[in-house]
Amino acid sequence: MEVITIDVVQKAINSFVNEDIYLHLETTNGAYASHFDESFFSASAYIRNARVKYEHGKIIGQGPFRVGLKIELGWVYAEGLTHFEIDDLGRLLLAGHGNDGKLGVALEISKTPFE
Amino acid sequence: MNKERHVLVVFPHPDDEAFGVSGTLAMHIANGTPITYACLTLGEMGRNLGNPPFATRESLPKIRKKELLKAAEAIGISDLRMLRFRDKTIEFEDDEKMTQLIESLITELNPSLVISFYPGHSVHPDHEATARAVVRAIQRMHKDDRPNLHCVAFSNNHEQEIGPADIMINIEPFAEQKKNAIRAHLSQTAWMLEEMEPKWKAGDKIAMEWLHTERFWTYRFT
């Protein structure tokens, strides 16, 4: 993965506009967060292979970055994105890695279902 | 350590086997006991992707699969079953399906010992769901046919609730296999190894004690 460059990622986001896409969206603080610190409120969520279509999408911020996708009847949103990759299947993989390097958020867009 | 007929190990994530039981498994293998390791997922949702990241959410399972194969080799496990569930979803699977999966492994392999997590004391929801399925499957068997179940427990309150481990195994003669199993899972253990390797090298008392002692709680069926 590379550190996010807005122009490159914006171009990639644009390339999926009005296509049926498969989405992976995830936030996580790790399953052990409350084990290591019992006062920590552990919360996370993920959705894998949601099929949506967006009319418009944008990446914004000064880093870490935010991405919003305007879908037919609503929105997709992710905050804390730091890294990206366009992989060998042409999928846009966005990830947010915390100061310790661990993944905190992921937003991925693909024209074919994820495995 | 008892000579077992066959040992069945059931854990949900690649690397679950490395930390707490790899020395014991290497010892069973040296004893001539066949081992089957059923690993339910490929740890697809792991948070460690390198710093700076060398893996993505999508490439991680491929990396972890290779690591799992390498760890199995380091321990000497020849029968590794990768069961293709997805990380973080075990507790949402149909309970009866999970019970039957464990049952079918037990029927096929006829193990005298099963090793898994301790239900209620293994922290990660996948660990807990795996443990519950293993307990359900064995509980269902006729009392005389049941294999022994040795569990790994590490929740913060486990000693208060279930007491100290009743089985402590000194795996010192197999410490190299254990270290190599932990090293095999490099994508997940790099942070830890950075801290532990110098301590192991220096013979730090607490680090060696951790490395050389594996603890199990015998599950008491009702």
Side-chain angles (χ1 to χ4, degrees):
Chain A
M1 297 204 114
E2 284 173 54
V3 172
I4 285 178
T5 322
I6 279 209
D7 298 352
V8 180
V9 172
Q10 183 63 57
K11 216 174 272 176
I13 289 172
N14 293 348
S15 73
F16 294 95
V17 163
N18 288 328
E19 302 254 8
D20 278 328
I21 56 129
Y22 296 86
L23 194 80
H24 171 94
L25 176 63
E26 160 188 7
T27 70
T28 175
N29 48 44
Y32 297 99
S34 301
H35 173 66
F36 294 129
D37 174 4
E38 290 189 0
S39 68
F40 189 89
F41 179 77
S42 191
S44 62
Y46 84 77
I47 183 165
R48 188 159 177 86
N49 278 328
R51 199 167 74 173
V52 298
K53 197 186 270 193
Y54 59 87
E55 62 187 62
H56 165 80
K58 190 191 280 183
I59 178 162
I60 193 164
Q62 323 231 289
F65 300 91
R66 299 175 298 283
V67 164
L69 308 174
K70 191 169 192 183
I71 60 176
E72 209 172 8
L73 296 171
W75 285 91
V76 171
Y77 168 87
E79 179 192 0
L81 300 164
T82 56
H83 289 74
F84 85 105
E85 179 173 316
I86 296 163
D87 75 0
D88 50 0
L89 296 172
R91 304 182 293 197
L92 173 59
L93 311 181
L94 294 159
H97 291 265
N99 299 332
D100 57 359
K102 294 186 183 184
L103 186 83
V105 58
L107 171 61
E108 303 179 342
I109 300 169
S110 169
K111 287 185 184 173
T112 53
F114 292 98
E115 268 170 51
Chain B
M1 171 193 272
N2 292 340
K3 168 88 173 98
E4 300 292 344
R5 182 172 62 234
H6 194 124
V7 178
L8 169 63
V9 184
V10 189
F11 288 130
H13 309 125
D15 78 7
D16 286 337
E17 83 293 345
F19 302 114
V21 312
S22 54
T24 300
L25 299 184
M27 197 178 280
H28 280 297
I29 290 162
N31 229 343
T33 304
I35 296 211
T36 299
Y37 176 23
C39 189
L40 270 53
T41 82
L42 290 177
E44 291 90 346
M45 299 297 278
R47 295 182 71 216
N48 293 341
L49 301 170
N51 189 12
F54 58 81
T56 69
R57 179 47 83 238
E58 300 311 314
S59 67
L60 184 66
K62 297 181 183 88
I63 292 169
R64 294 196 72 175
K65 183 177 176 181
K66 280 189 204 142
E67 291 177 345
L68 177 58
L69 290 164
K70 202 169 156 194
E73 199 187 316
I75 300 167
I77 299 168
S78 51
D79 186 16
L80 170 66
R81 316 268 178 107
M82 292 182 266
L83 297 181
R84 303 176 64 95
F85 290 93
R86 189 174 177 88
D87 197 3
K88 282 189 159 180
T89 65
I90 305 298
E91 63 181 330
F92 305 111
E93 288 284 354
D94 179 68
D95 288 340
E96 179 56 26
K97 177 179 132 182
M98 297 310 295
T99 311
Q100 285 178 15
L101 173 84
I102 306 298
E103 256 177 350
S104 68
L105 286 166
I106 292 174
T107 306
E108 177 199 336
L109 302 163
N110 190 24
S112 50
L113 174 65
V114 177
I115 295 177
S116 188
F117 283 114
Y118 201 111
H121 296 283
S122 52
V123 183
H124 191 298
D126 285 336
H127 298 178
E128 297 290 353
T130 302
R132 289 195 300 269
V134 168
V135 166
R136 283 197 305 270
I138 299 177
Q139 182 82 57
R140 261 189 205 184
M141 298 172 68
H142 189 278
K143 219 162 79 215
D144 302 334
D145 299 333
R146 287 176 189 154
N148 286 322
L149 174 57
H150 291 176
C151 302
V152 174
F154 67 102
S155 62
N156 290 333
N157 61 351
H158 69 281
E159 287 225 346
Q160 281 125 286
E161 296 196 4
I162 54 173
D166 61 322
I167 299 169
M168 305 258 278
I169 300 179
N170 178 2
I171 63 95
E172 192 169 346
F174 300 93
E176 276 313 303
Q177 283 96 320
K178 179 168 181 168
K179 282 192 266 184
N180 287 334
I182 296 170
R183 288 170 185 144
H185 293 289
L186 192 63
S187 74
Q188 305 305 300
T189 55
W191 275 269
M192 175 210 171
L193 284 169
E194 204 177 314
E195 192 194 324
M196 295 307 277
E197 293 277 13
K199 289 185 180 172
W200 289 338
K201 213 169 163 196
D204 175 90
K205 198 164 167 272
I206 294 168
M208 298 321 273
E209 213 270 335
W210 178 86
L211 180 69
H212 291 157
T213 314
E214 295 186 348
R215 292 177 171 80
F216 299 91
W217 282 256
T218 303
Y219 192 85
R220 312 282 173 200
F221 289 94
T222 48

